[in-house]
Amino acid sequence: ANPRPVLSIAGMMIRNDLLYPVTEVMITVPETGAFAGCGNIMPQTDCRTSFETVDYSGNAMVVSWKEYGQAYSTKEFVVEPGKAIDLNRPAWLEVTIFAAGQAGAKFVQF
């Protein structure tokens, strides 16, 4: 029995706030095997991918990427929808690589 979906997700955006490119960016959900990513994100830009809306049940995710060929990864973490998120509308997952070797994520709605 799956837990009731917390939220539905219609896409993801990966932002590179660094001053150099990042490569092989992947978002992986170990529990389900789901993954999505972007091959190359130039400095101060983002990569967006929309997909058929999927249910997000609160599973942990891992973000991995490379800077100058060196691999980085977050620990598993769970993204909680903030108070501003309307659970009746699909959201996007926004992952930001915000400092060398560091990334975070949040849900956003447009």
Side-chain angles (χ1 to χ4, degrees):
N2 282 346
R4 192 184 150 279
V6 176
L7 184 62
S8 54
I9 304 176
M12 58 151 211
M13 176 173 20
I14 303 173
R15 293 165 41 109
N16 174 13
D17 283 355
L18 305 179
L19 297 175
Y20 46 86
V22 293
T23 58
E24 296 177 42
V25 186
M26 290 295 292
I27 301 167
T28 309
V29 180
E31 194 163 311
T32 64
F35 64 90
C38 298
N40 197 12
I41 309 176
M42 298 311 288
Q44 315 270 288
T45 65
D46 63 57
C47 148
R48 296 169 185 229
T49 306
S50 60
F51 38 74
E52 203 166 304
T53 304
V54 294
D55 288 339
Y56 173 72
S57 301
N59 292 326
M61 64 186 73
V62 173
V63 179
S64 59
W65 69 97
K66 288 184 177 173
E67 299 172 21
Y68 294 119
Q70 175 157 1
Y72 291 93
S73 173
T74 63
K75 292 181 166 42
E76 283 191 26
F77 66 96
V78 173
V79 180
E80 297 290 344
K83 287 183 172 45
I85 297 294
D86 176 355
L87 299 179
N88 298 310
R89 289 176 41 226
W92 279 53
L93 176 67
E94 180 183 87
V95 170
T96 304
I97 298 170
F98 59 86
Q102 295 187 294
K106 66 183 180 185
F107 289 114
V108 294
Q109 286 171 323
F110 304 112

